[in-house]
Amino acid sequence: MFQPPARHPWMSEAACVAPGVDPDLWFPNLHECRGEEGKAIAICGNCQVKPECLAHALKEPHLGFGIWAGLTSDEIRAMQRKLRRNP
């Protein structure tokens, strides 16, 4: 089971690290959780650190996979492109 390293204090408060939550849901391209992105996105919906998670995903170009702040990797990359065009 893959679990990203908690490098930022806000990560320990994220809904995705709550007991009983399968961290593999956030990385469907790496595991056999294909089609279950909706579960991760729903959990992100009420996360108290969603703004911090989104800011982290947008400024870290190496985060090209997984669900971050309730958005898919395609949505994150689209937002990154838009921000580069319109800073």
Side-chain angles (χ1 to χ4, degrees):
M1 189 166 12
F2 177 82
Q3 189 162 3
R7 298 179 306 193
H8 303 284
W10 59 265
M11 288 181 171
S12 65
E13 301 298 320
C16 57
V17 298
V21 175
D22 182 2
D24 290 345
L25 292 175
W26 278 263
F27 299 96
N29 296 330
L30 296 178
H31 302 285
E32 297 302 318
C33 295
R34 295 182 193 279
E36 295 190 11
E37 295 93 352
K39 290 181 183 179
I41 292 168
I43 292 169
C44 291
N46 293 319
C47 184
Q48 64 184 1
V49 296
K50 190 173 175 179
E52 292 89 342
C53 184
L54 177 59
H56 176 70
L58 292 174
K59 73 179 181 180
E60 299 289 339
H62 68 278
L63 299 177
F65 61 93
I67 306 296
W68 293 88
L71 300 172
T72 66
S73 55
D74 290 341
E75 292 168 322
I76 294 290
R77 285 191 297 271
M79 290 180 80
Q80 288 170 329
R81 285 190 300 272
K82 185 175 180 179
L83 287 171
R84 283 192 298 269
R85 285 191 305 262
N86 304 312

